[in-house]
């Protein structure tokens, strides 16, 4: 079993410590397990979970958008009629629609900014940002 | 009959006439206030004109600066249009100028439109203003 422990240093940074025991690894040779223990700060664990949630949300929304655009191109190529298009949208609305919600907290916004900076070198527009992460555009809030 | 060009100017209406050289649907969204809606992004000399005003004449999104009078319009390099209907807008190809053609269409339900990117001359004037001040 491989253990990775993270400890906070006096300067506030995370330091990795790896411990590895052969006997433990032999026992679970068929399915090697990597155990990650995080010590020092609970907020680090929370951040990882939160970021994973945001990544998944983004991927799901992009899949939904892709599905909708595929349906729309089918309509433009007249592979399906307008009635079929409408029926498909009304019956399977959840498959195509992206739920928009305002940003819950400042912490979430900071994490989103961190993710966005890693996605592309170019800055995302407000529309692209709201589409990917399902955040209602500030101009639509009105208040 | 006023045409608005300023950055972030937006309109709200019951029916809207759209004109642009490039029209791309962006997706379906479920908004907490508006419910089910379809989003289109219009670019390259886009224009949205109000055909039918809201009844009563109040902003649904509670935006103080939103344009709601009949025949008023917004023009910009790129415009975002959000409409409540799931029906696709039927766009026709029309002649805009001698050289260029454009797409023309109408929405049938509540519509919100917002200038995403203003015309180049408006942006230049705005930049000059900020540098001088």
């Amino acid at each position: 079993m491989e253990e990775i422990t993270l400890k906070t240093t006096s300067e506030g940074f995370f330091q990795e410590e790896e411990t590895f025991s052969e006997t433990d690894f032999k026992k679970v040779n068929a399915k090697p397990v990597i155990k990650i223990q995080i010590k020092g700060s609970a907020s680090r664990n929370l951040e990882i979970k939160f970021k994973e949630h945001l990544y998944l949300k983004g991927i799901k929304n992009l899949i939904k958008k892709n599905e909708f655009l595929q349906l729309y191109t089918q309509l433009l190529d007249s592979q399906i009629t307008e009635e079929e298009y409408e029926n498909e949208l009304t019956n399977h609305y959840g498959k195509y629609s992206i739920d928009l919600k305002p940003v819950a907290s400042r912490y979430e916004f900071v994490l989103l900014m961190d993710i966005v900076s890693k996605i592309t070198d170019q800055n995302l527009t407000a529309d692209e940002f709201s589409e990917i992460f399902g955040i209602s555009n500030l101009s639509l809030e009105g208040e | 009959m006023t045409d608005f060009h300023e950055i972030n100017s937006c309109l709200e209406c019951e029916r809207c006439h759209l004109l642009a050289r490039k029209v791309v649907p962006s997706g379906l969204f479920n908004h907490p206030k508006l419910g089910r809606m379809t989003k289109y992004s219009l670019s390259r000399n886009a224009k949205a004109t109000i055909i039918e005003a809201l009844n009563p004449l109040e902003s649904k999104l509670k935006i103080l600066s939103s344009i709601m009078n009949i025949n008023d319009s917004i023009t910009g390099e790129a415009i975002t249009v959000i409409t409540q209907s799931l029906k696709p807008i039927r766009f026709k190809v029309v002649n805009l100028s001698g050289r260029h053609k454009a797409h023309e269409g109408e929405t049938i339900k509540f519509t919100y439109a917002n200038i995403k990117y203003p015309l180049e001359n408006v942006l230049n004037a705005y930049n000059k203003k900020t540098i001088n001040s």
Side-chain angles (χ1 to χ4, degrees), chain A residues 35-51:
Chain A
K35 194 182 169 188
I36 298 172
Q37 282 185 341
I38 297 159
K39 289 175 186 173
S41 173
S43 66
R44 176 73 182 169
N45 199 2
L46 191 75
E47 187 186 321
I48 291 165
K49 278 188 180 176
F50 214 148
K51 269 193 178 176

Side-chain angles (χ1 to χ4, degrees), chain A residues 70-82 84:
Chain A
Q70 278 180 10
L71 192 75
Y72 199 83
T73 43
Q74 280 183 338
L75 178 74
L76 289 180
D77 294 344
S78 59
Q79 289 174 20
I80 52 168
T81 59
E82 209 167 290
E84 281 174 336

Side-chain angles (χ1 to χ4, degrees), chain B residues 92-105:
Chain B
K92 292 178 205 164
V93 180
V94 289
N95 278 324
L96 183 66
S97 64
R99 188 181 283 259
H100 297 114
K101 288 185 176 178
H103 298 274
E104 191 186 40

Side-chain angles (χ1 to χ4, degrees), chain B residues 22-68:
Chain B
K22 190 183 173 187
V23 181
V24 181
S26 287
L28 281 183
F29 297 94
N30 201 2
H31 194 267
K33 278 181 193 170
L34 297 172
R36 297 175 172 192
M37 59 186 205
T38 322
K39 193 173 174 183
Y40 296 86
S41 50
L42 278 63
S43 52
R44 296 180 196 168
N45 286 333
K47 189 174 185 180
T49 317
I50 297 171
I51 306 172
E52 195 181 322
L54 290 171
N55 190 19
L57 203 64
E58 285 174 4
S59 170
K60 275 191 180 181
L61 294 160
K62 294 174 185 173
I63 301 171
L64 292 171
S65 62
S66 64
I67 301 149
M68 288 182 288

Side-chain angles (χ1 to χ4, degrees), chain A residues 60-96:
Chain A
K60 279 176 189 172
N61 286 344
L62 284 175
I63 290 168
K64 280 177 179 177
K65 194 183 171 185
N66 194 24
E67 293 272 357
F68 171 74
L69 290 176
Q70 278 180 10
L71 192 75
Y72 199 83
T73 43
Q74 280 183 338
L75 178 74
L76 289 180
D77 294 344
S78 59
Q79 289 174 20
I80 52 168
T81 59
E82 209 167 290
E83 282 181 8
E84 281 174 336
Y85 171 84
E86 269 184 62
N87 285 336
E88 177 66 21
L89 285 186
T90 44
N91 294 335
H92 307 283
Y93 187 73
K95 191 180 165 186
Y96 302 101

